[in-house]
Amino acid sequence: MKKILLTAVMAILSMAALSAQDLGQATDIYNNGASYLNAGDKAGALTAFEKALEMAYQCEEDEDGQKANLISNIEDVIPSIALSIAKDYIKADDYDNAVKQLEAAVAAAEKYNNPAVAEDAKEMIPQVFMQHAGKLLNSKDYEGAAAAYGKVLEITPDNGMAALRQGMAYGAAGNIEAAENAYAIAIENGQETAAKKQLSNIYVKQAAAFLKEKAYNDALAAAQKSNDNLENATAYKVAGTAASQLKKNEDAVAYLKKYLDLSPNAKDAAQMQYTIAALSQTLGDKATAIEFYNKILTDPKFGETAKQQLGVLNK
């Protein structure tokens, strides 16, 4: 009986000694991790701390609280190191690894109850996608940029700037429908002025292309959409030209007047003034015809014709 009791006591003492030894090893590994961290080897430090933590969890409880203190110290530092590594990836423009590491930092912070790090890492994920998308857009990888801005919007659907820039990427890639959808989101989220300016640019380019193809109805419709978003001289010029070709003379006069109001010093101002005068004369609007013929009396190209027509109108 005494022999059995002695054996049991020895086993307990051996387990206690083993636990103390393991805790000492865990502490040594923790200290190694601290050395790695001081030397700038964050990945090595993280690996060491994770190993030390796993070992510390398996140790028996001790009366002086060394195990609890060691575990607490490690759990405090792991999320911060994970976040710091992610920031290094961001600085190196390694966006894929940056996002993965940020997600790892979030997981570690939530596991070890570090809400500050979790919040910082979560906020940085869409920022990384935004930064990556900007570089792709600047390098004219429009489809890649649109996809990256889409990831931002998946996380923060009310990000008006991401939607605006996604619209720019889609527009540059020629995906007009997708661009319109993106700009609609941008308008709803604080980027109305900028989004409408971009939409106006899209439609005025369409209008000019349709005019070149002599698709006058399409040109007029696109020009009107451009001006609905942001009035601009080019759209009014296209609209006036297209309306004139469609024999919508009254509309053409109104559009070309707006063109000259917005661009009074245009190189083709005399041409447009002559067109307004001629169309007004056709419409029987004598006053407008006289007004605009008088504007071009000294023009070397249209002056002589203007004098002749004024002579007819003033009879």
Side-chain angles (χ1 to χ4, degrees):
M1 184 67 176
K2 291 182 179 179
K3 184 176 181 181
I4 294 174
L5 289 174
L6 182 60
T7 302
V9 170
M10 292 299 294
I12 292 172
L13 292 174
S14 296
M15 290 177 63
L18 180 60
S19 177
Q21 183 181 8
D22 287 345
L23 187 59
Q25 290 176 345
T27 302
D28 288 342
I29 295 172
Y30 170 80
N31 290 332
N32 288 338
S35 297
Y36 288 138
L37 190 59
N38 289 333
D41 183 358
K42 297 175 185 178
L46 185 59
T47 299
F49 288 139
E50 288 172 342
K51 184 177 180 181
L53 183 60
E54 182 180 357
M55 185 175 291
Y57 282 151
Q58 296 173 358
C59 293
E60 296 291 334
E61 296 296 333
D62 57 318
E63 294 181 357
D64 56 5
Q66 291 184 23
K67 173 184 174 179
N69 288 334
L70 180 61
I71 289 174
S72 178
N73 289 338
I74 298 173
E75 289 181 344
D76 282 346
V77 76
I78 284 178
S80 297
I81 295 175
L83 180 58
S84 182
I85 292 172
K87 291 179 179 178
D88 290 340
Y89 281 129
I90 295 170
K91 291 178 182 178
D93 294 341
D94 188 347
Y95 300 109
D96 290 339
N97 279 321
V99 171
K100 291 178 183 177
Q101 189 60 42
L102 285 170
E103 291 171 345
V106 171
E110 291 178 344
K111 181 177 180 180
Y112 302 130
N113 193 28
N114 192 326
V117 169
E119 183 178 355
D120 286 348
K122 286 178 181 178
E123 289 180 353
M124 290 180 69
I125 291 174
Q127 294 173 9
V128 170
F129 284 127
M130 194 77 173
Q131 184 174 325
H132 187 201
K135 286 186 176 292
L136 292 172
L137 185 61
N138 291 337
S139 65
K140 299 184 179 180
D141 181 355
Y142 301 122
E143 292 183 0
Y149 285 123
K151 291 179 180 178
V152 178
L153 291 167
E154 287 176 8
I155 302 169
T156 54
D158 60 348
N159 190 322
M161 182 57 68
L164 174 68
R165 293 182 70 81
Q166 185 185 50
M168 294 168 63
Y170 276 133
N175 191 340
I176 303 304
E177 183 178 355
E180 290 173 329
N181 292 336
Y183 287 134
I185 296 171
I187 289 170
E188 293 175 359
N189 291 282
Q191 296 295 328
E192 181 175 0
T193 300
K196 285 191 171 183
K197 180 178 180 180
Q198 293 297 326
L199 283 167
S200 181
N201 289 338
I202 286 176
Y203 295 135
V204 77
K205 289 177 181 177
Q206 285 184 330
F210 284 134
L211 185 65
K212 188 175 182 180
E213 296 169 1
K214 299 183 179 181
Y216 299 121
N217 282 311
D218 291 334
L220 182 56
Q224 289 171 331
K225 287 171 73 176
S226 177
N227 281 320
D228 286 343
N229 283 280
L230 180 66
E231 286 188 314
N232 64 95
T234 302
Y236 278 119
K237 178 181 176 180
V238 171
T241 304
S244 175
Q245 293 295 326
L246 293 168
K247 306 302 180 184
K248 297 180 178 181
N249 293 341
E250 188 173 347
D251 290 340
V253 168
Y255 290 137
L256 292 178
K257 281 183 176 181
K258 288 290 292 184
Y259 167 64
L260 291 173
D261 286 344
L262 293 174
S263 186
N265 298 316
K267 291 181 179 180
D268 61 353
Q271 172 70 61
M272 295 301 108
Q273 289 164 341
Y274 173 77
T275 301
I276 291 170
L279 291 174
S280 298
Q281 188 174 5
T282 301
L283 290 167
D285 184 353
K286 184 176 179 180
T288 300
I290 289 173
E291 175 189 353
F292 279 85
Y293 279 134
N294 275 319
K295 290 178 183 290
I296 53 174
L297 281 174
T298 60
D299 184 79
K301 183 176 181 179
F302 300 104
E304 188 60 36
T305 301
K307 289 177 185 178
Q308 293 174 5
Q309 294 305 316
L310 284 171
V312 173
L313 289 167
N314 287 321
K315 283 183 180 180

